[in-house]
Amino acid sequence: MKIGILGTGDVGRTLGSKLVETGNTVMLGSRKPDNEQGLAFAAAHKGKAEAGTMAETAAFGEVIFNCTPGTVSLEALTLAGEKNLNGKILIDVANPLDFSKGMPPTLSVSNTTSLGEEIQNKYPKVRVVKAFNTIWNGLMVNPALVNGGDHDIFICGNDKQAKEKVREIIHSFGWMDKNIVDLGDISAARGTEMYLPLWLRIMGTAGNGSFNIKIVK
Amino acid sequence: MKIGILGTGDVGRTLGSKLVETGNTVMLGSRKPDNEQGLAFAAAHKGKAEAGTMAETAAFGEVIFNCTPGTVSLEALTLAGEKNLNGKILIDVANPLDFSKGMPPTLSVSNTTSLGEEIQNKYPKVRVVKAFNTIWNGLMVNPALVNGGDHDIFICGNDKQAKEKVREIIHSFGWMDKNIVDLGDISAARGTEMYLPLWLRIMGTAGNGSFNIKIVK
């Protein structure tokens, strides 16, 4: 499948490498077509990856990942272009963490809304699925790193078929189906994004991001 | 030990019963001294429990639990009286969930602050420890209900000795020490309170509150 990844940071490149490894072709998008990390990624996966602008990347992908910082995601999607996004699945990985006032970050949107909902509201024809945003990127693509892979990842969105497709992608990364927890419609993004302050505090005690939560009943 | 519990709802009564069972004497406090739930609780634990006003309860307790609804906790603490609280450990169990605009609830304070911090700021001589607020009350006092008791409970606060005392109380409820996770100072209450929207969505998929999260590394 052709996958467009908006954002050339750690998260975008980690997901991009795994998507190439699992048989997809990937374009990594940034504001500038000569973004160094994008070009290095394309060179490292020659023939299976490219670098482009946000608009080129959105046009290229059958499925799009939003891996831009959450505070600039709406801006990045404007550059990507509504016509390039409409009808497609957009996997929103971003968290609206605002570090501008120092640590700890606050959320630039929360409580009565979420980034996932803001994106869905602004692009009603895009099939937004919030996913991956509660987990350190190293674990996103290698769940077996902790507890034999037995821990949970959340998805939510309004489009059931889109969620099924995202479930398949997550499954292809090594996640067990029982650990992919569908929380319902896109308003559940409020829950997964507002979990970030707790995630950051747990990371503070754990010393690094290589942990996750498992729901026990 | 003499324990004062502010609030006569499910959470207060569940914790109160367990505290009596583990050898403490308990006063359950409410706005009105003739609160029916308070009187019934006192009658059910004759000789080991009493019902009183917020002020009587705060004066009675060597350790105080805040089990009032989070949106009225500051009001309840005003009734309890600063002089009755100063120097004591206040275990803040409340979540500032505002149901006034329907479901899902929003948080009346969040993101840049938390109820735990607001209480600590208003009562600098009270030793506030946020605890229990991420878990359904049935599990608070009976962790073995799920996963053999192997799941996590969070504490935070500025006073280390107070946290050690709270750790002992939690331990006396059946929690294993490895599962009592100290997140640091009281500002971590932001994390545990902002987890509630996710908790509510997980409850929606689980069907009831008898679940918790376990950190896996």
Side-chain angles (χ1 to χ4, degrees):
Chain A
M1 198 162 49
K2 292 162 86 175
I3 311 267
I5 297 182
L6 307 174
T8 58
D10 285 348
V11 175
R13 287 178 286 126
T14 300
L15 287 168
S17 295
K18 187 69 176 184
L19 286 160
V20 166
E21 185 192 318
T22 53
N24 303 283
T25 55
V26 170
M27 187 182 284
L28 225 58
S30 61
R31 284 163 198 274
K32 299 177 294 176
D34 60 345
N35 176 289
E36 277 181 30
Q37 291 180 312
L39 294 174
F41 179 86
H45 301 283
K46 216 172 169 67
K48 293 176 181 172
E50 296 176 57
T53 63
M54 295 292 185
E56 287 164 351
T57 300
F60 172 87
E62 298 163 78
V63 168
I64 317 291
F65 280 74
N66 172 35
C67 298
T68 63
T71 47
V72 299
S73 290
L74 287 168
E75 221 176 305
L77 291 171
T78 300
L79 294 174
E82 190 165 8
K83 71 175 193 308
N84 297 323
L85 296 167
N86 275 348
K88 294 179 180 173
I89 295 171
L90 176 72
I91 305 177
D92 178 29
V93 182
N95 283 306
L97 293 172
D98 178 1
F99 292 90
S100 68
K101 293 173 200 80
M103 290 298 284
T106 56
L107 295 171
S108 63
V109 291
S110 74
N111 203 12
T112 56
T113 184
S114 62
L115 179 62
E117 288 165 275
E118 300 280 300
I119 293 173
Q120 184 62 84
N121 287 341
K122 187 165 175 193
Y123 300 98
K125 292 179 181 164
V126 175
R127 304 157 76 195
V128 180
V129 178
K130 190 94 202 180
F132 293 108
N133 65 305
T134 57
I135 301 167
W136 168 60
N137 67 75
L139 270 186
M140 290 178 190
V141 299
N142 193 2
L145 277 181
V146 301
N147 207 42
D150 187 14
H151 45 95
D152 296 319
I153 183 166
F154 301 106
I155 59 173
C156 66
N158 299 340
D159 185 315
K160 282 187 183 178
Q161 284 182 314
K163 283 195 283 193
E164 277 316 301
K165 188 75 200 164
V166 174
R167 186 182 281 277
E168 280 170 31
I169 293 170
I170 295 172
H171 191 71
S172 76
F173 288 1
W175 290 83
M176 290 179 272
D177 204 54
K178 67 163 186 162
N179 293 120
I180 306 170
V181 181
D182 184 349
L183 293 174
D185 68 33
I186 192 66
S187 71
R190 237 174 268 188
T192 62
E193 295 174 15
M194 289 173 77
Y195 161 68
L196 263 288
L198 179 58
W199 187 91
L200 288 163
R201 295 302 289 234
I202 298 173
M203 187 183 73
T205 69
N208 63 59
S210 188
F211 70 87
N212 192 14
I213 55 174
K214 174 174 155 59
I215 299 164
V216 295
K217 309 184 216 194
Chain B
M1 201 163 44
K2 292 163 87 176
I3 310 267
I5 298 183
L6 307 175
T8 58
D10 285 349
V11 175
R13 286 178 288 126
T14 301
L15 288 168
S17 294
K18 187 69 176 183
L19 286 161
V20 168
E21 186 192 317
T22 52
N24 303 283
T25 55
V26 170
M27 187 182 285
L28 225 56
S30 61
R31 283 165 199 275
K32 298 177 297 177
D34 60 345
N35 176 289
E36 278 181 30
Q37 290 180 314
L39 293 175
F41 179 86
H45 301 282
K46 218 171 168 66
K48 292 176 179 170
E50 296 176 58
T53 62
M54 295 292 186
E56 287 164 351
T57 301
F60 172 87
E62 298 163 78
V63 168
I64 317 291
F65 280 75
N66 173 33
C67 299
T68 62
T71 48
V72 299
S73 290
L74 287 168
E75 223 175 302
L77 291 171
T78 300
L79 294 175
E82 188 165 7
K83 72 175 192 312
N84 296 323
L85 296 166
N86 275 349
K88 294 181 181 174
I89 294 172
L90 175 72
I91 304 177
D92 179 28
V93 182
N95 283 305
L97 292 171
D98 178 1
F99 293 90
S100 68
K101 293 172 199 78
M103 291 294 287
T106 55
L107 295 172
S108 64
V109 291
S110 73
N111 202 12
T112 55
T113 183
S114 61
L115 178 61
E117 288 165 276
E118 300 280 299
I119 293 173
Q120 185 63 83
N121 287 341
K122 188 164 174 193
Y123 299 98
K125 291 180 183 163
V126 176
R127 305 157 77 195
V128 181
V129 178
K130 190 95 201 180
F132 294 108
N133 67 307
T134 57
I135 299 168
W136 168 61
N137 65 75
L139 271 185
M140 289 177 190
V141 298
N142 194 1
L145 277 181
V146 302
N147 206 41
D150 188 13
H151 45 97
D152 295 320
I153 184 166
F154 301 106
I155 61 173
C156 66
N158 299 341
D159 184 315
K160 282 186 183 177
Q161 285 181 314
K163 284 195 285 192
E164 276 317 301
K165 187 75 200 163
V166 174
R167 185 181 282 276
E168 280 169 31
I169 293 171
I170 296 172
H171 191 70
S172 76
F173 288 0
W175 289 84
M176 289 178 274
D177 203 55
K178 66 163 187 162
N179 294 120
I180 305 169
V181 180
D182 183 350
L183 294 174
D185 68 32
I186 192 64
S187 72
R190 238 174 267 190
T192 62
E193 295 175 16
M194 289 173 78
Y195 162 67
L196 262 289
L198 178 59
W199 187 91
L200 288 163
R201 295 302 290 233
I202 297 172
M203 188 185 71
T205 70
N208 62 60
S210 188
F211 69 87
N212 192 16
I213 54 173
K214 174 176 153 59
I215 300 164
V216 295
K217 313 183 214 192

